[in-house]
Amino acid sequence: MRIVNKIKIQTASIQVSKALHKKAETKGMTREKLTSKVRHVIQTGRYAGIYRDQQVTGQSFVQDGLNVVLDEPMRKVVKILRVEKKEAEQKQLVPLGEFEQMIGEMKALLKKTAQFEKAISSEISSLDKQISSIYHDMETNSFNASQGYQFAKKLQMLLRKRRIAKGEFQKFTSSRQELQMIEKNVASILQKAADIQAKQNEYVSGWDHSADENFSRETV
């Protein structure tokens, strides 16, 4: 899965149009190979903004000399272009893919951190109950020196476990809070970059001497 402009793209479910499959088959490329190739570009390639020509309008992803265009709902590949080196260099204006990947990794890390916090909190609660039980037994029962020693040793063990658990809880809580701040800042940067890219795409839209005409050709 990949997130672009706050839209989740299920890359494993991306389909290729029948017309593109037919063109690929005439050049000896199987449906499976073509589908696998474009899904890889969409998952790991650079998001290049909106692509528009006389036939299609969609979202563009560039990698390894290929420009793969998804339809506007971002569910199906509707065009594939060969990108020459000159064009690839021109279009590297806003490397949004790296930010998207960073946010995805942070969300996964935040989720795992929250799970650790929950587990440690549950452990602290269990230790608190055991400590309270020992205090209650010491308060309400008579015991000799040997029994008192056993109470003290067990209480010491539980208190040490609780101290370690609280330290771990504070560590994960602090890490989660810092990660949330970083995630928020990165998301803000990504949104600003996407807004600028959208303005760039709108500015060049309709040019007779578009970069696509000058530097690209259809591959399939």
Side-chain angles (χ1 to χ4, degrees):
M1 187 187 75
R2 179 174 181 177
I3 300 174
V4 172
N5 293 340
K6 300 182 180 179
I7 299 175
K8 293 181 179 179
I9 305 175
Q10 301 294 340
T11 49
S13 303
I14 291 292
Q15 300 299 315
V16 180
S17 71
K18 292 181 180 179
L20 290 176
H21 273 309
K22 287 181 179 179
K23 287 184 180 181
E25 287 171 353
T26 63
K27 297 185 179 183
M29 182 179 288
T30 65
R31 288 173 173 261
E32 292 76 14
K33 186 175 180 180
L34 178 63
T35 301
S36 175
K37 192 170 187 178
V38 299
R39 285 177 179 175
H40 178 72
V41 172
I42 293 165
Q43 178 64 39
T44 62
R46 174 176 56 84
Y47 173 60
I50 298 172
Y51 174 89
R52 185 181 290 109
D53 64 15
Q54 293 181 348
Q55 285 87 32
V56 300
T57 297
Q59 306 293 333
S60 174
F61 298 83
V62 178
Q63 188 180 58
D64 298 332
L66 289 182
N67 181 357
V68 176
V69 182
L70 284 177
D71 60 3
E72 293 189 86
M74 292 199 270
R75 296 191 184 120
K76 181 186 289 186
V77 177
V78 292
K79 195 159 191 172
I80 303 172
L81 304 170
R82 173 69 65 183
V83 181
E84 301 297 340
K85 185 177 181 181
K86 186 174 181 181
E87 181 188 6
E89 290 173 350
Q90 280 191 341
K91 288 196 173 182
Q92 286 179 356
L93 301 175
V94 184
L96 301 181
E98 289 85 348
F99 288 119
E100 294 159 7
Q101 183 177 355
M102 189 185 299
I103 289 178
E105 291 171 353
M106 284 185 181
K107 287 184 182 297
L109 187 56
L110 281 167
K111 183 177 180 180
K112 186 173 290 187
T113 302
Q115 290 172 345
F116 282 135
E117 279 187 276
K118 185 176 180 180
I120 295 171
S121 178
S122 178
E123 176 67 16
I124 291 172
S125 177
S126 175
L127 289 167
D128 283 339
K129 290 178 181 178
Q130 293 177 64
I131 291 169
S132 293
S133 178
I134 291 176
Y135 281 141
H136 181 266
D137 288 343
M138 293 175 67
E139 179 184 358
T140 58
N141 295 308
S142 298
F143 50 87
N144 56 33
S146 175
Q147 291 171 325
Y149 175 77
Q150 294 302 317
F151 276 131
K153 288 296 292 182
K154 187 173 182 180
L155 184 60
Q156 182 187 55
M157 179 191 69
L158 291 172
L159 288 171
R160 287 176 174 176
K161 282 185 176 181
R162 186 177 184 278
R163 174 63 64 89
I164 292 171
K166 284 193 70 177
E168 290 296 297
F169 183 80
Q170 290 172 353
K171 180 176 71 177
F172 282 111
T173 298
S174 177
S175 298
R176 176 179 54 77
Q177 291 171 345
E178 291 294 330
L179 283 170
Q180 285 175 329
M181 290 178 63
I182 295 171
E183 180 195 23
K184 184 178 179 180
N185 290 335
V186 172
S188 177
I189 293 170
L190 177 60
Q191 187 58 54
K192 289 177 181 177
D195 291 342
I196 293 170
Q197 184 66 64
K199 291 179 180 179
Q200 293 281 67
N201 293 333
E202 183 179 356
Y203 177 66
V204 302
S205 176
W207 283 12
D208 292 335
H209 52 290
S210 66
D212 293 314
E213 292 173 352
N214 291 332
F215 303 120
S216 64
R217 58 186 177 83
E218 290 192 32
T219 57
V220 295

